[in-house]
């Protein structure tokens, strides 16, 4: 018997609900109360009364669940409401062949929920199951409302996560804090960026861009944040809030006698906010105000996220260890038992920080174990500090499909079970969420699986759970995806899939859209294309779910994106051979592929620039504010910031994505402009004139056509045309 199974049986043995057979069904039609039942009523309104949830105590500090019962009478026992939902979701996937996800779902269930059969039981093999990247609020949806967040929290609970990063509401905390320390309300609101850019301000990388923020906007965001943290607490999940480590508005030292601030230089073309020396009484007072205000607005929590000197920050004359002790002292004064969460990224956290802090009350969220092959011994790297095995499969919100699942399977169990392991969690940290549903499901399963994950077995079972029944074509498609997009490893030094070239600034030699994206495709594109006809051959009865439609779109879109890497070298060859007819033929084919992709992605609401814009404008109270918020949101996807950051900082197209309105709008405009100039140069026998791409992009970002906020077209029909075109 596996250790985890022994643990769960022991943990639940004391429950009076369990009889000799281990299956006691709930009373038919009588739902239990509590947050799990309320969540299920939202998720499955026709079936929720067939499920009873019961809370049981932890044994040995571990979360656990057990699911039993007969048809229409399901009992779910678990240590928290969120864990109960995790157990129910395991039952859904394995017994009912249904599931929820943040990108498509399958919930077409029979009138009576199927019997659980042999009881399903699992114990979490790690304490910390952390979700969301610091950048998530920017790249996923800075202007999403409560309807979105309520669903997102439910999905994270269903997947077993118990710690969620919450950046919403931090802007209001900073506003009140610095108004109390000598700044006017208008000064602080001008310093705070627009919501799309706030994550990088909270990481001390930049300020002001996209602002000023209005009091009305801050109040609405605070109200949203309160609902988010309240729901997390109701479910027994931990809201992870930003802590205070010294970021101050301009001129702080000039306003406060004896205060010492350290200029932080630039980050990707943006001037960074100053850093207040944490060893000073001024820091102590500001931190005290910050934590008091944060508690008043959002309540206290048990985990705070802080990254000193992140991505190039400089300590100047301040000893890093002494600064870390002071930052931790301020946290412990406000929240004595809190865990200090730190991002493991590049050179972060510095060893001086770990040597100075109480490592037993820290958690490092490792962002690169599936990224770089040189990462082999985190106990040595971080002096035994507890850490969470993490993944960042997505940067900037790229729509590229795939993840290094082979690394997850080969590294996680081995690192967790080795002698002296400090691995105590998982950390799901794509820079943008709501994509890659197979990655979400597989990575979350790591924390609830005995032994290493068998990828062949997992991917064989996934299409049954994803679409509702076994299907030979679906199995064939997902076996292709397992071997290609999900078959990559960190051996080449990347954790994300390569983005397409349609979203790149035009150049005949361009090999990536974002400056820091992979330079070549990381799997065989021809083999990948076999997944599309297989998906199109799935039985009609299994095509009704949003899960199937999302996957079909994703694979068809990726096929077109991969073709950009085949077509562009041919265009280059024709141009260099001065073969004008061939050049025109190939560039016309390139633009036809873009038009087909625009038509494809327009069928799904998640791929609409118009929806992104509508969400941003909905938060504005006046026409001027709506325009400002729209620019904040759209600029992040295009130029990112002003010219120094877009060009000098190479941030343009960092968040490129194959969305309707971007593909058929800015991206097509750039390539038609470029091809027209090349063709003119060929005809005149001259060199092509340079294009000021930032001027074109910035102009489009500020003044462009309106794009639909609702999907249109039939994804199956368009995907068939994609398959015919390939």
């Amino acid at each position: 018997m596996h250790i985890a199974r022994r643990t769960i049986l022991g943990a639940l043995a004391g429950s009076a609900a369990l009889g000799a057979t281990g299956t006691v069904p709930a009373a038919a039609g009588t739902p239990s109360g509590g947050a799990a039942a309320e969540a299920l009523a939202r998720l499955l309104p026709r079936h929720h009364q067939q499920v009873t949830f019961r809370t049981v105590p932890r044994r040995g500090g571990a979360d656990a669940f057990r699911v039993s019962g007969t048809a229409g009478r399901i009992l779910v026992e678990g240590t928290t409401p969120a864990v109960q939902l995790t157990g129910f979701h395991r039952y859904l996937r394995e017994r009912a062949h249904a599931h929820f996800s943040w990108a498509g779902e399958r919930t077409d269930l029979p009138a009576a929920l199927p019997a659980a059969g042999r009881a399903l039981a699992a114990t979490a093999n790690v304490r910390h199951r952390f979700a969301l990247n610091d950048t998530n609020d920017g790249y996923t949806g800075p202007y999403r409302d409560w309807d979105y967040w309520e669903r997102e929290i439910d999905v994270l609970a269903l997947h077993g996560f118990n710690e969620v990063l919450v950046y919403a509401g931090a802007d209001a905390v900073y506003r009140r804090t610095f108004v109390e320390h000598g700044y006017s309300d208008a000064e602080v609101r001008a310093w705070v960026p627009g919501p799309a850019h706030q994550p990088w301000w909270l990481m001390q990388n930049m300020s002001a861009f996209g602002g000023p923020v209005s009091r009305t906007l801050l109040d609405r965001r605070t109200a949203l944040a309160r609902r988010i943290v309240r729901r997390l607490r109701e479910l027994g999940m931990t809201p992870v809030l930003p802590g205070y480590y010294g970021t101050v508005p301009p001129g702080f030292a000039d306003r406060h006698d004896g205060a010492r601030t350290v200029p932080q230089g630039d980050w990707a073309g943006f001037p960074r906010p100053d850093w207040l020396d944490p060893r000073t009484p001024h820091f102590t007072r500001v931190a005290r105000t910050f934590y008091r205000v944060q508690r008043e607005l959002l309540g206290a929590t048990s985990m705070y996220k802080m990254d000193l000197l992140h991505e190039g920050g400089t300590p100047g004359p301040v000893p890093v260890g002494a600064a870390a002790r002071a930052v931790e002292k301020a946290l412990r004064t406000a929240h004595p038992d809190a865990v200090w969460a730190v991002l493991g990224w590049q050179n972060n956290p510095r060893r001086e920080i770990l040597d100075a802090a109480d490592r037993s009350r820290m958690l490092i969220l490792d962002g690169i174990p599936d990224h770089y092959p040189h990462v082999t011994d985190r106990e040595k790297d971080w002096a035994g500090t507890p850490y969470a095995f993490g993944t960042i499969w997505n940067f900037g919100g790229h729509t590229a499909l795939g993840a290094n699942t082979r690394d997850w399977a080969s590294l996680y169990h081995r690192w967790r079970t080795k002698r002296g392991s400090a691995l105590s969690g998982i950390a799901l940290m794509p820079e943008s969420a709501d994509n890659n549903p197979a990655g979400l499901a597989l990575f979350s399963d790591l924390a609830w699986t005995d032994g290493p994950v068998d990828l062949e077995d997992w991917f064989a079972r996934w299409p049954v759970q994803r679409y509702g029944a076994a299907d030979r074509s679906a199995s064939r498609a997902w076996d292709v995806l397992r071997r290609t997009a999900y078959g990559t490893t960190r051996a080449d030094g990347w954790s994300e899939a390569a983005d397409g070239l349609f979203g790149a600034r035009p150049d005949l030699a361009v090999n990536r859209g974002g400056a820091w994206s992979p330079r070549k495709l990381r799997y065989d594109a021809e083999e990948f294309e076999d997944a599309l006809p297989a998906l199109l051959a799935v039985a009609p009865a299994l095509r009704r779910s949003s899960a199937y439609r999302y996957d079909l779109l994703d694979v068809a879109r990726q096929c077109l994106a991969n073709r950009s890497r085949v077509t562009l070298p041919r265009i280059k060859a024709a141009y260099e051979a001065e073969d004008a007819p061939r050049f025109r033929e190939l560039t016309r084919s390139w633009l036809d592929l873009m038009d087909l992709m625009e038509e494809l992605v327009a069928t799904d609401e998640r791929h609409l620039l118009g929806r992104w814009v509508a969400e941003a404008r909905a938060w504005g109270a006046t026409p001027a504010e709506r325009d400002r918020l729209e620019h904040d949101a759209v600029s992040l996807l295009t130029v990112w910031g002003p010219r120094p950051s877009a060009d000098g900082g190479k941030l343009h197209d960092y968040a490129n994505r194959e969305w309707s309105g971007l593909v058929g709008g800015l991206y097509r405009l750039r390539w038609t402009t470029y091809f027209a100039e090349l063709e003119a140069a060929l005809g005149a026998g001259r060199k092509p004139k340079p294009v000021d791409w930032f001027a074109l992009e910035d102009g489009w970002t500020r003044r462009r056509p309106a794009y639909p906020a609702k999907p249109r077209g039939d994804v199956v029909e368009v995907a068939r045309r994609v398959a015919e075109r390939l």
Side-chain angles (χ1 to χ4, degrees), residues 267-354:
W267 176 83
F270 284 99
R272 300 176 67 138
D274 290 343
W275 184 46
L276 179 60
D277 186 343
R279 301 171 301 165
T280 65
H282 292 283
F283 176 91
T284 301
R285 287 192 286 270
V286 173
R288 184 188 306 124
T289 304
F290 180 93
Y291 288 119
R292 173 179 55 78
V293 170
Q294 187 180 62
R295 184 190 293 266
E296 291 170 359
L297 291 178
L298 303 176
T301 191
S302 57
M303 183 178 288
Y304 292 83
K305 176 80 165 51
M306 296 184 287
D307 294 293
L308 279 69
L309 309 170
H310 172 76
E311 286 198 352
T314 175
V318 179
V320 174
R325 280 191 293 272
V327 167
E328 184 176 31
K329 181 180 179 181
L331 173 64
R332 303 273 172 244
T333 300
H335 306 288
D337 299 321
V339 172
W340 177 0
V342 180
L343 178 64
W345 174 252
Q346 296 182 354
N347 296 321
N348 198 53
R350 302 184 185 212
R351 186 56 181 263
E352 304 99 304
I353 295 174
L354 299 179

Side-chain angles (χ1 to χ4, degrees), residues 179-417:
V179 165
E180 291 191 25
H181 286 269
Y183 288 83
S184 71
D185 178 70
E187 285 175 323
V188 181
R189 290 190 292 101
W191 177 60
V192 176
H197 289 81
Q198 282 188 20
W200 296 271
W201 163 67
L202 292 171
M203 291 187 284
Q204 205 178 22
N205 292 341
M206 58 166 290
S207 62
F209 188 84
V213 292
S214 70
R215 283 293 303 276
T216 301
L217 181 66
L218 292 177
D219 290 345
R220 287 187 62 188
R221 285 174 57 78
T222 302
L224 174 63
R226 284 174 169 157
R227 298 185 78 172
I228 292 171
V229 297
R230 184 185 307 122
R231 177 57 53 77
L232 290 171
R233 292 176 180 127
E234 289 169 355
L235 289 168
M237 303 166 78
T238 299
V240 181
L241 302 178
Y244 185 72
Y245 55 95
T247 306
V248 292
F252 187 90
D254 297 334
R255 299 175 187 229
H256 298 84
D257 290 342
R260 293 192 299 271
T261 55
V262 180
Q264 292 297 293
D266 286 356
W267 176 83
F270 284 99
R272 300 176 67 138
D274 290 343
W275 184 46
L276 179 60
D277 186 343
R279 301 171 301 165
T280 65
H282 292 283
F283 176 91
T284 301
R285 287 192 286 270
V286 173
R288 184 188 306 124
T289 304
F290 180 93
Y291 288 119
R292 173 179 55 78
V293 170
Q294 187 180 62
R295 184 190 293 266
E296 291 170 359
L297 291 178
L298 303 176
T301 191
S302 57
M303 183 178 288
Y304 292 83
K305 176 80 165 51
M306 296 184 287
D307 294 293
L308 279 69
L309 309 170
H310 172 76
E311 286 198 352
T314 175
V318 179
V320 174
R325 280 191 293 272
V327 167
E328 184 176 31
K329 181 180 179 181
L331 173 64
R332 303 273 172 244
T333 300
H335 306 288
D337 299 321
V339 172
W340 177 0
V342 180
L343 178 64
W345 174 252
Q346 296 182 354
N347 296 321
N348 198 53
R350 302 184 185 212
R351 186 56 181 263
E352 304 99 304
I353 295 174
L354 299 179
D355 289 343
D358 179 355
R359 292 194 292 268
S360 69
R361 292 191 285 177
M362 295 186 79
L363 178 68
I364 301 175
L365 309 165
D366 192 355
I368 59 176
D370 63 346
H371 198 312
Y372 299 116
H374 69 263
V375 176
T376 58
D377 190 344
R378 284 317 203 187
E379 286 71 27
K380 179 180 178 181
D381 295 340
W382 293 329
T385 308
Y387 75 98
F389 181 93
T391 182
I392 305 177
W393 70 59
N394 167 287
F395 287 82
H398 301 156
T399 37
L401 174 66
N404 289 352
T405 66
R406 287 167 60 190
D407 293 323
W408 304 349
S410 67
L411 299 178
Y412 175 75
H413 176 72
R414 179 156 47 92
W415 287 7
R416 185 180 63 81
T417 57

Side-chain angles (χ1 to χ4, degrees), residues 305-651:
K305 176 80 165 51
M306 296 184 287
D307 294 293
L308 279 69
L309 309 170
H310 172 76
E311 286 198 352
T314 175
V318 179
V320 174
R325 280 191 293 272
V327 167
E328 184 176 31
K329 181 180 179 181
L331 173 64
R332 303 273 172 244
T333 300
H335 306 288
D337 299 321
V339 172
W340 177 0
V342 180
L343 178 64
W345 174 252
Q346 296 182 354
N347 296 321
N348 198 53
R350 302 184 185 212
R351 186 56 181 263
E352 304 99 304
I353 295 174
L354 299 179
D355 289 343
D358 179 355
R359 292 194 292 268
S360 69
R361 292 191 285 177
M362 295 186 79
L363 178 68
I364 301 175
L365 309 165
D366 192 355
I368 59 176
D370 63 346
H371 198 312
Y372 299 116
H374 69 263
V375 176
T376 58
D377 190 344
R378 284 317 203 187
E379 286 71 27
K380 179 180 178 181
D381 295 340
W382 293 329
T385 308
Y387 75 98
F389 181 93
T391 182
I392 305 177
W393 70 59
N394 167 287
F395 287 82
H398 301 156
T399 37
L401 174 66
N404 289 352
T405 66
R406 287 167 60 190
D407 293 323
W408 304 349
S410 67
L411 299 178
Y412 175 75
H413 176 72
R414 179 156 47 92
W415 287 7
R416 185 180 63 81
T417 57
K418 74 176 184 178
R419 184 183 298 274
S421 175
L423 196 163
S424 59
I426 61 171
L428 183 81
M429 299 186 293
E431 284 199 340
S432 175
D434 299 353
N435 52 62
N436 202 8
L440 166 65
L442 175 54
F443 190 80
S444 65
D445 281 353
L446 294 176
W448 298 91
T449 301
D450 288 343
V453 171
D454 181 329
L455 290 180
E456 282 197 46
D457 175 68
W458 194 95
F459 277 99
R461 290 183 291 110
W462 173 246
V464 180
Q465 300 167 4
R466 184 77 171 152
Y467 307 139
D471 181 272
R472 185 174 300 175
S473 295
S475 296
R476 186 166 65 250
W478 276 99
D479 191 57
V480 170
L481 296 176
R482 173 186 65 83
R483 289 182 279 108
T484 55
Y486 291 100
T488 54
T489 76
R490 65 181 189 163
D492 60 358
W494 298 99
S495 64
E496 70 164 328
D499 52 10
L501 302 184
F502 295 133
R505 273 189 179 176
D507 187 286
L508 291 179
V510 72
N511 57 16
R512 59 197 185 279
W516 289 277
S517 297
R519 289 155 177 77
K520 62 181 180 180
L521 204 61
R522 303 177 58 224
Y523 53 83
D524 187 315
E526 192 170 333
E527 183 181 7
F528 179 90
E529 287 185 2
D530 291 341
L532 181 56
L535 274 181
L536 285 166
V538 167
L542 303 184
R543 299 180 197 163
R544 295 191 294 263
S545 71
S546 60
Y548 173 79
R549 294 194 299 272
Y550 180 91
D551 293 348
L552 182 63
L553 181 148
D554 215 15
V555 170
R557 178 206 50 72
Q558 192 64 54
C559 287
L560 291 173
N562 293 349
R563 279 299 174 100
S564 69
R565 293 181 173 274
V566 175
T567 307
L568 191 60
R570 296 173 181 169
I571 294 173
K572 183 175 184 289
Y575 179 79
E576 291 177 345
E578 300 183 3
D579 186 344
R582 177 66 172 161
F583 178 81
R584 281 193 294 271
E585 175 190 357
L586 288 170
T587 56
R588 191 161 48 244
S589 176
W590 174 278
L591 295 175
D592 286 346
L593 289 173
M594 292 188 74
D595 291 342
L596 188 55
M597 180 180 281
E598 168 71 18
E599 191 176 353
L600 176 73
V601 293
T603 64
D604 181 73
E605 66 177 0
R606 302 169 188 83
H607 293 73
L608 303 180
L609 178 64
R611 179 193 180 201
W612 184 266
V613 169
E615 288 173 346
R617 295 189 66 85
W619 283 76
T622 67
E625 185 177 28
R626 287 192 284 273
D627 291 345
R628 187 165 65 249
L629 300 182
E630 177 179 347
H631 181 260
D632 174 49
V634 177
S635 62
L636 187 74
L637 309 184
T638 55
V639 293
W640 212 102
R643 188 184 290 271
S645 60
D647 292 348
K650 299 181 180 179
L651 290 181

Side-chain angles (χ1 to χ4, degrees), residues 106-172:
R106 194 264 169 184
T107 58
D108 185 11
L109 294 163
L113 290 173
R118 184 171 59 86
L120 290 166
T123 295
N125 55 48
V126 284
R127 171 188 172 191
H128 300 286
R129 291 149 350 247
F130 179 96
L132 304 183
N133 196 295
D134 295 76
T135 66
N136 183 73
D137 275 10
Y139 290 138
T140 305
Y143 294 98
R144 298 279 160 83
D145 58 16
W146 173 241
D147 287 345
Y148 166 83
W149 274 105
E150 181 172 56
R151 182 74 167 195
E152 191 81 347
I153 293 168
D154 286 345
V155 168
L156 291 175
L158 289 163
H159 285 81
F161 293 97
N162 64 346
E163 297 161 350
V164 179
L165 186 63
V166 180
Y167 270 3
D171 43 14

